[in-house]
Amino acid sequence: MTIPALMLALLEPSGAVHAMTDGVARIEAEDAALVGEWRRVVDADASGGAAIHYDGPNRYPLDASEVGEGLRYCVALGEAGDYHLRIRMKRSRIGEPDIRDDERNDLWLRHEGRFWMKLFANPPWEEYGWDGGLDFHHLTGRRPAAMLTFDEAGVQCFEIAGRSEEVRLDALVLTKAP
């Protein structure tokens, strides 16, 4: 394989490319090729009857120096711009009934090789719920809605990696911001 062909192969999506329909891409979390400490679990409460579970350790360093392998999701966008990301997840107190409310609720998010950002959701304990925010409170005191900016139309990819133990991810929704 030539060097340009190898570079193109590395840039190509490794899994499914999800389409936008009426400005929305709905993605089952288990559509990603599972790597590292992620595993598929059968779950009757999950939207497709299954979800993915992060079995790894907490990976909290603010500089994201210990991020494990990321799950890659690709979407075919009709236009460049800002897109909101929401996630459907479940967090569990199993094994630690007195765990704090701000634990077991976050992941790492990155858009095509850029920096990792803390992505969090706070659904009720032991239930799936939709949420999605970026946590910059340690830098700016803010927690804005999760948003990705894509500079070009076409197939664009982003990654999600485990940050907190015992997170179960069911689905993702990407919508064009107004």
Side-chain angles (χ1 to χ4, degrees), residues 24-72:
V24 177
R26 187 171 188 328
I27 303 166
E28 288 296 319
E30 62 272 17
D31 287 352
L34 300 184
V35 295
E37 296 138 332
W38 290 94
R39 66 181 168 90
R40 184 179 191 274
V41 293
V42 174
D43 188 332
D45 295 331
S47 59
I52 57 175
H53 183 87
Y54 176 64
D55 275 335
N58 290 324
R59 296 184 185 271
Y60 291 156
L62 294 178
D63 65 357
S65 61
E66 295 179 15
V67 173
E69 293 182 84
L71 305 172
R72 192 163 183 212

Side-chain angles (χ1 to χ4, degrees), residues 144-166:
M147 187 175 304
L148 294 168
T149 299
F150 298 102
D151 299 329
E152 299 176 13
V155 176
Q156 299 292 331
C157 301
F158 60 93
E159 291 177 87
I160 290 181
R163 186 172 189 277
S164 287
E165 64 184 6
E166 302 298 325

